[in-house]
Amino acid sequence: MEVLRYPLTGWGNHSIIRTPLPGLYIKETTGLHGLDADETWHCSLESNFHIVSEFPWFAQLQILENRLFDSWAVGWKEIGYDDGAWLNAKTYPKEKIKPTISPGNLHPRPIPSMLKIPKKFHGMYGNMQSYTSVNNWNQMLQGKGSVQVAPHSHEYVEIDAGELTCGFLSLRMSEGMGTIIRLLTSEGYVTELPSAPGASPKKGDRTDWKTGKLYGFTDTYQPAGTGTENIPECYEPFWFRTFHFIKLEILTGDSPLTLLGFDYLETGYPLNAVSHVETSDKTLAAIWDISLRSQRRCMQETYIDCPFYEQLQYAMDSRSQILHTYAISGDDRLARQCMDDFRRSQRPDGMLNCCYPDTEPNVIPGFSIYYILMLYDHMMYVGDKNFLRQHLGCMNGILNFFEQHLDNRGLVGSVGRLLTDGGYWSYIDWAPQWGKTIGTPPAGLTGPITMESLLYIMGLSHAAEISDYLGRPDTAQEYRQRAAKVRSAVNMYCKDSKGYQDGPGVSQYSQHCQVFAILTDTIPAEEGRKFLLASLQDTVTYASCTVAMAFYLFRALEKAGIYEETQSIWNLWKHMLDNHLTTCVENFLDERSDCHAWGSLALYELTSVTLGVRPAAPGYQKISIQPVPGYLDYAKGDVITPHGMVHVEWHKNDDGTIALDYQVPDHVEIKTK
């Protein structure tokens, strides 16, 4: 067993919470195998193992390795390995362990173990410099041969995994003393490498190796050189890597290196996706495919924003990912853990960390509202009152923060600033017009932004529904009254003939404000439709919602009765397919990450809207079957619910009406139009 200890202070993986005392605690509950950790265990420090930062500036992962393997450790995982020279483990005296971090405070794991599926690479791809043939390399990758690299050689090959995936790499070898091995893991080929520190590469066709270059992160390994064919030396980076392609570079010294095998264990949350949908738009099938893969890659020990760069659980991202999970699997275990994580992150002023677990403070005020939306969703899909009651105090603290920051007009004041200004960050979306202000509407440079008032209204409205469900009508009434006052202020100070402004009296506009005005009933849907349509047609005057906000844009189009407008918006995903992405891109501002599950929108839209299967009452006590056809001519499929699978088929008649057929489990109350 290997244990990696990050320092308590200084750089380390941001999502890994650590305690002042390093160590390993194992207690077997059954007692059948004698696995309890005690002084009889042997241990040894690997002194030539170094974590290398992925960037010289802000870097959240801290998982890259520069490793010189010690000869004494070759074969240490094999039965019969002689560990006689290793030290005995030491136990800490009880008085040295603080009660707050003692093993007695550990709780049973609330989620299942991660998958570890043996996988082999598809094969060689792209550029190579090697004296060994492509066929021989492919044979080695399939476990049917070996590749020898001669002394004093410099070889490199590029290898295809077939799709963007997450896995624990395993490179097995013999001999090779004095060799340097570099493993570059990459999301895909880029058209231009970053022009400056902190910049993103320019991207196009992710599979274009002829004009592109692989961009990514590199692990460096120097073998001990004592491995043999029977007991090979094995390099397995401690943490999983994210990759579609890998560049394997080898520089040998005086000794040859023989590669005996190279493969990986695919890892991720065991998501059992059982819902499926077929529609008249055949391109949506491919969009569903990359959406499902994105969802899988962004479900690990927590929900994560992106597996390649950060691996942090953000509230805005997670709310969408949780809905996707409910729609395709009905599994709420990771969702419960997620909400509990955010509850534990609450600060004295009521705000949550925008991502958690996280060793660093990081607050986006609006993201605390998405946590309230998670609670509402859990109420509708699961309806666990005891679970929701545990979160009432946190929810109230968030809403009180916004209430305490209302200005004399009744609007939410300037609760955040630009990311570069320090303090709280009023991020909304990666709209291209907001690039210089880093995802914040430029109206925030001179005053409050309307979106934070609209988010507060949304939080109050959903919190009122939760309070009603938990038998707190007085609290629900208070929340609704507070929401009504902020709605009135937004309509008085933040609206003109073009729609809702990004800030009070500021002639700047975004699709986002028109969307959230509709969703919060700040404007009737019929009246808001004209502003929403204007934002679709005039993308210069109105900053457009990007992939991150597409879920809310689609909800507003649905509520405004113009869901057919989604046809052109799906072109964003078709563009991803044109560039041979196998997952959903983060944004189109700089396309930093090739895998962001807030883009897995199809998983919700096709099941919950196109087929129309959603909870009609808390705890899914009633099933709503109300398809929204939009531009489609027909759809059919199966959607998971707590009552079992629901089958839906519909098609448009010549007169535009819908012929609907469905099959549901017995004794289930159905709501249709």
Side-chain angles (χ1 to χ4, degrees):
M1 179 180 297
E2 288 182 288
V3 178
L4 175 63
R5 163 68 179 175
Y6 284 110
L8 186 62
T9 58
W11 280 13
N13 190 309
H14 282 215
S15 68
I16 303 299
I17 304 296
R18 43 262 197 191
T19 57
L21 290 177
L24 171 68
Y25 178 81
I26 295 178
K27 181 70 175 178
E28 187 182 9
T29 57
T30 62
L32 296 177
H33 305 287
L35 292 179
D36 294 357
D38 56 24
E39 297 93 336
T40 65
W41 284 46
H42 289 176
C43 61
S44 184
L45 177 66
E46 191 173 341
S47 57
N48 292 313
F49 177 99
H50 303 284
I51 293 291
V52 180
S53 179
E54 62 265 35
F55 295 120
W57 52 95
F58 184 65
Q60 299 94 330
L61 280 181
Q62 303 295 314
I63 60 175
L64 301 177
E65 299 176 5
N66 186 344
R67 196 170 187 178
L68 170 60
F69 206 55
D70 293 314
S71 58
W72 58 261
V74 173
W76 73 273
K77 295 181 181 180
E78 302 295 326
I79 296 175
Y81 174 79
D82 182 7
D83 62 354
W86 291 26
L87 300 175
N88 284 90
K90 294 181 179 180
T91 58
Y92 288 113
K94 290 184 178 180
E95 60 271 14
K96 195 171 182 179
I97 303 176
K98 294 182 179 180
T100 54
I101 60 169
S102 71
N105 285 321
L106 293 176
H107 297 282
R109 179 183 177 88
I111 60 173
S113 297
M114 298 300 102
L115 295 171
K116 290 185 179 178
I117 306 171
K119 291 276 188 171
K120 296 189 181 300
F121 292 98
H122 275 215
M124 300 289 287
Y125 189 92
N127 300 291
M128 68 178 293
Q129 177 179 293
S130 176
Y131 290 104
T132 304
S133 69
V134 170
N135 182 63
N136 284 354
W137 274 99
N138 282 332
Q139 288 291 310
M140 184 273 293
L141 293 174
Q142 294 304 309
K144 299 176 181 178
S146 61
V147 168
Q148 187 173 80
V149 182
H152 304 294
S153 297
H154 178 197
E155 297 192 3
Y156 64 84
V157 293
E158 293 171 356
I159 301 168
D160 179 18
E163 61 186 30
L164 190 144
T165 190
C166 299
F168 293 96
L169 296 173
S170 178
L171 179 64
R172 298 171 298 283
M173 67 206 81
S174 64
E175 303 177 279
M177 182 178 291
T179 294
I180 297 174
I181 299 172
R182 298 190 183 103
L183 281 167
L184 182 145
T185 46
S186 174
E187 291 186 302
Y189 291 86
V190 302
T191 59
E192 189 176 317
L193 296 174
S195 57
S200 296
K202 293 183 179 179
K203 299 182 177 181
D205 183 346
R206 303 306 198 271
T207 62
D208 182 8
W209 62 271
K210 293 183 179 179
T211 61
K213 297 179 180 179
L214 287 181
Y215 170 78
F217 301 136
T218 300
D219 292 286
T220 302
Y221 182 72
Q222 299 178 59
T226 56
T228 65
E229 185 174 352
N230 293 328
I231 305 179
E233 183 173 344
C234 183
Y235 177 51
E236 296 177 341
F238 188 90
W239 201 255
F240 73 81
R241 297 293 184 261
T242 302
F243 51 89
H244 185 169
F245 299 99
I246 289 181
K247 181 177 180 179
L248 173 60
E249 185 178 12
I250 300 169
L251 293 90
T252 54
D254 294 336
S255 173
L257 173 75
T258 301
L259 298 180
L260 303 172
F262 187 32
D263 46 38
Y264 62 97
L265 291 174
E266 181 185 306
T267 192
Y269 185 88
L271 176 67
N272 183 23
V274 292
S275 299
H276 62 91
V277 186
E278 178 185 329
T279 75
S280 55
D281 183 348
K282 300 305 179 184
T283 61
L284 290 177
I287 294 173
W288 175 281
D289 182 53
I290 65 171
S291 299
L292 180 55
R293 188 175 296 108
S294 301
Q295 181 77 8
R296 291 187 186 280
R297 303 300 175 252
C298 294
M299 292 176 71
Q300 300 289 335
E301 294 283 350
T302 63
Y303 287 104
I304 58 175
D305 61 330
C306 60
F308 191 73
Y309 283 104
E310 297 185 38
Q311 297 180 14
L312 290 170
Q313 181 173 248
Y314 282 89
M316 179 182 174
D317 308 53
S318 297
R319 193 266 169 139
S320 295
Q321 291 169 267
I322 288 171
L323 280 173
H324 303 157
T325 308
Y326 293 159
I328 63 174
S329 76
D331 183 353
D332 77 324
R333 289 172 292 180
L334 195 60
R336 287 175 183 262
Q337 177 185 272
C338 174
M339 288 176 271
D340 282 340
D341 283 341
F342 282 112
R343 175 171 57 87
R344 296 185 186 103
S345 79
Q346 190 162 37
R347 300 164 63 87
D349 64 1
M351 284 288 90
L352 309 184
N353 229 47
C354 67
C355 54
Y356 201 79
D358 191 1
T359 59
E360 299 290 327
N362 188 0
V363 176
I364 299 173
F367 276 32
S368 292
I369 298 298
Y370 294 109
Y371 157 81
I372 297 176
L373 303 186
M374 293 181 207
L375 298 177
Y376 173 84
D377 298 334
H378 200 263
M379 176 188 76
M380 296 302 295
Y381 282 85
V382 182
D384 186 336
K385 291 186 177 182
N386 289 331
F387 176 79
L388 292 170
R389 288 190 185 101
Q390 297 173 31
H391 293 261
L392 285 178
C394 182
M395 181 175 74
N396 190 58
I398 293 167
L399 297 174
N400 282 344
F401 170 88
F402 285 97
E403 187 71 15
Q404 292 166 11
H405 285 83
L406 296 179
D407 63 17
N408 57 9
R409 294 167 293 193
L411 300 170
V412 174
S414 298
V415 294
R417 298 186 287 274
L418 301 183
L419 181 62
T420 53
D421 292 341
Y424 293 176
W425 174 28
S426 287
Y427 168 85
I428 298 297
D429 190 10
W430 292 119
Q433 292 95 321
W434 301 345
K436 292 183 179 180
T437 48
I438 317 179
T440 302
L445 294 171
T446 56
I449 59 173
T450 306
M451 269 298 296
E452 286 179 328
S453 289
L454 293 171
L455 281 166
Y456 178 40
I457 297 169
M458 180 170 280
L460 287 166
S461 301
H462 286 74
E465 295 292 322
I466 295 170
S467 299
D468 272 336
Y469 180 61
L470 296 179
R472 296 173 177 242
D474 292 344
T475 304
Q477 182 180 7
E478 176 195 336
Y479 288 158
R480 291 189 177 101
Q481 289 172 346
R482 285 158 63 174
K485 290 180 181 178
V486 183
R487 280 193 196 96
S488 178
V490 169
N491 279 320
M492 180 173 292
Y493 296 107
C494 305
K495 182 184 176 186
D496 64 14
S497 60
K498 293 182 180 179
Y500 289 87
Q501 303 163 323
D502 284 346
V506 179
S507 297
Q508 296 171 3
Y509 307 87
S510 65
Q511 196 170 66
H512 308 71
C513 284
Q514 318 319 314
V515 163
F516 278 77
I518 292 172
L519 295 181
T520 57
D521 296 318
T522 301
I523 189 172
E526 297 77 13
E527 185 182 345
R529 184 187 301 144
K530 65 178 181 181
F531 296 140
L532 188 56
L533 284 170
S535 74
L536 290 170
Q537 296 159 3
D538 183 356
T539 57
V540 175
T541 302
Y542 301 86
S544 297
C545 293
T546 72
V547 176
M549 276 283 181
F551 172 82
Y552 300 95
L553 172 59
F554 276 49
R555 297 289 64 72
L557 293 169
E558 179 189 355
K559 189 171 182 178
I562 48 174
Y563 194 70
E564 64 276 4
E565 297 291 337
T566 60
Q567 181 173 14
S568 60
I569 302 171
W570 283 120
N571 288 335
L572 292 172
W573 281 263
K574 294 173 184 177
H575 179 67
M576 299 179 202
L577 296 172
D578 289 342
N579 280 329
H580 296 108
L581 280 148
T582 60
T583 47
C584 300
V585 73
E586 177 179 5
N587 63 65
F588 287 105
L589 178 62
D590 58 13
E591 297 190 75
R592 185 185 71 138
S593 165
D594 278 3
C595 184
H596 244 69
W598 63 20
S600 299
L601 179 64
L603 304 181
Y604 180 86
E605 292 302 315
L606 299 187
T607 54
S608 306
V609 186
T610 300
L611 292 185
V613 180
R614 285 181 273 200
Y620 235 129
Q621 290 305 303
K622 297 180 183 178
I623 297 179
S624 173
I625 302 179
Q626 301 185 51
V628 182
Y631 70 93
L632 297 172
D633 295 322
Y634 74 83
K636 63 180 180 179
D638 297 283
V639 182
I640 187 65
T641 76
H643 307 283
M645 298 297 290
V646 173
H647 179 77
V648 178
E649 295 186 34
W650 62 261
H651 67 268
K652 282 182 180 176
N653 297 317
D654 293 339
D655 61 0
T657 59
I658 299 297
L660 173 65
D661 184 34
Y662 57 85
Q663 299 169 17
V664 299
D666 294 337
H667 312 299
V668 177
E669 187 173 347
I670 301 299
K671 178 182 177 182
T672 60
K673 291 182 179 179

